[in-house]
Amino acid sequence: MAIHFSSCRIILCISLVFLSIKGLNSRRITNHREEDHHIDPSVNVFFTINDLKIGKQIPIYFPNKNKTNTPHLLTRQQTKSIPFSSKNLPYLLKLFSFPKNTPQAKAIEYTLNQCETDPKIEKETKLCVTSLESMLDYVRGAFGLDTEFRALSTNYGKEVKELQKYRIVEVMEKRMRMKMMISCHVMPYPYVVYYCHSRSGSGSGNNRVFEVVLRGEEDGEKVEAVGICHMDTSKWDVNHVSFRLLNVKPGLSSVCHFLPADNLVWVPY
């Protein structure tokens, strides 16, 4: 699903599908050194660029979506009245009625800390955005005022079988005018917070973006997925779970993954 924008004339009538954050529980952190059968099923989102062939079957995890639990995207005016800082954590926990040391409180603290940490990758920029307006400002600033851009997201029904084999029906690579993209990921928080990041320079051209149509082999459900392929994995952590799942080594293979339905990738065109 693509949403088109012009930096000179922003169209604000957007329909985004957000992932349900059930009770704001922190995502379970998997120890990638454990045996394979202990790996969280939800990490089955990886494949290689060689898998992107019509008729190919790959096991993929897509979480079921429950719109009734979906938090709301606030306006910039609304977020101005709510501090977004770890130093205000006690106030925030009281505001949202989350007792200290509960999973919800730990999730809020985690998100604030991640948003305040400096980028760890060279030439990477990042920003946690709490409104659509602030997200568009970040994207416009990264791409330039005269650049048109669009947002891509994964789209499917809420009743998919979460982990199954999917058959690839259609593959279309998104040809970008600039070798740059911006990824935005939903963070656990009482309202929608996106962690957006991009990278400039030579390393930014090592990513390729695809729109892929998949069909579930067990339930027959159609998924219109956005796939990102990282072509240079030479500097990745050797213990990254993708290498174990794909049985490949850093720098010797691409690593691709599909975006969850709540994530966005912005590309210029």
Side-chain angles (χ1 to χ4, degrees):
M1 181 176 66
I3 306 167
H4 300 269
F5 293 87
S6 167
S7 58
C8 302
R9 187 177 179 182
I10 301 297
I11 302 174
L12 294 179
C13 51
I14 300 176
S15 176
L16 299 178
V17 181
F18 299 112
L19 179 68
S20 168
I21 303 175
K22 299 179 180 179
L24 289 176
N25 287 322
S26 299
R27 294 180 179 176
R28 181 161 68 88
I29 300 174
T30 303
N31 183 348
H32 302 328
R33 298 178 185 274
E34 294 178 335
E35 295 298 324
D36 286 346
H37 63 273
H38 290 152
I39 292 179
D40 190 331
S42 66
V43 302
N44 284 274
V45 297
F46 299 103
F47 55 97
T48 73
I49 197 168
N50 294 329
D51 292 322
L52 287 177
K53 299 176 181 178
I54 305 299
K56 177 78 174 182
Q57 287 183 326
I58 50 177
I60 296 293
Y61 179 94
F62 288 110
N64 283 324
K65 300 180 295 182
N66 186 347
K67 295 181 181 180
T68 61
N69 293 332
T70 300
H72 298 291
L73 183 68
L74 301 183
T75 66
R76 173 177 281 166
Q77 189 62 35
Q78 289 173 316
T79 60
K80 282 183 177 180
S81 64
I82 306 174
F84 189 77
S85 170
S86 57
K87 68 180 182 181
N88 296 115
L89 181 61
Y91 169 79
L92 291 169
L93 296 183
K94 183 178 180 180
L95 176 67
F96 297 121
S97 301
F98 293 141
K100 188 178 180 180
N101 295 323
T102 60
Q104 295 91 340
K106 292 178 180 179
I108 293 175
E109 183 177 15
Y110 168 82
T111 292
L112 292 173
N113 288 336
Q114 290 296 308
C115 291
E116 292 173 354
T117 302
D118 292 333
K120 297 180 180 180
I121 301 176
E122 184 181 2
K123 296 183 179 181
E124 182 184 47
T125 63
K126 72 179 186 71
L127 180 69
C128 285
V129 298
T130 56
S131 68
L132 176 61
E133 295 96 329
S134 57
M135 181 185 290
L136 292 177
D137 285 347
Y138 175 77
V139 174
R140 187 189 302 112
F143 288 147
L145 296 178
D146 297 326
T147 301
E148 293 188 339
F149 46 85
R150 68 183 71 181
L152 306 176
S153 66
T154 293
N155 186 36
Y156 56 89
K158 67 178 181 179
E159 298 299 331
V160 296
K161 181 177 174 60
E162 291 192 321
L163 178 60
Q164 64 175 313
K165 285 186 177 180
Y166 285 88
R167 186 179 298 274
I168 296 178
V169 178
E170 183 179 348
V171 179
M172 181 175 63
E173 182 168 7
K174 305 304 294 183
R175 297 292 182 180
M176 297 178 287
R177 194 177 77 178
M178 299 165 54
K179 291 296 183 180
M180 181 181 179
M181 67 179 189
I182 299 171
S183 299
C184 294
H185 317 282
V186 168
M187 301 292 285
Y189 212 70
Y191 56 87
V192 175
V193 172
Y194 274 99
Y195 179 104
C196 296
H197 62 106
S198 63
R199 187 182 180 194
S200 61
S202 59
S204 62
N206 292 322
N207 300 317
R208 296 169 66 179
V209 180
F210 296 85
E211 288 184 312
V212 184
V213 177
L214 305 165
R215 182 74 65 179
E217 289 292 272
E218 297 183 39
D219 61 11
E221 287 294 322
K222 178 183 177 181
V223 175
E224 297 174 340
V226 176
I228 298 177
C229 287
H230 305 279
M231 305 307 295
D232 182 4
T233 60
S234 58
K235 295 183 180 179
W236 286 27
D237 185 344
V238 68
N239 293 314
H240 194 283
V241 67
S242 62
F243 298 132
R244 295 187 57 216
L245 288 173
L246 301 174
N247 194 27
V248 298
K249 295 182 179 180
L252 299 182
S253 171
S254 64
V255 170
C256 308
H257 60 88
F258 289 121
L259 290 184
D262 62 327
N263 286 203
L264 297 172
V265 59
W266 297 85
V267 295
Y269 71 100

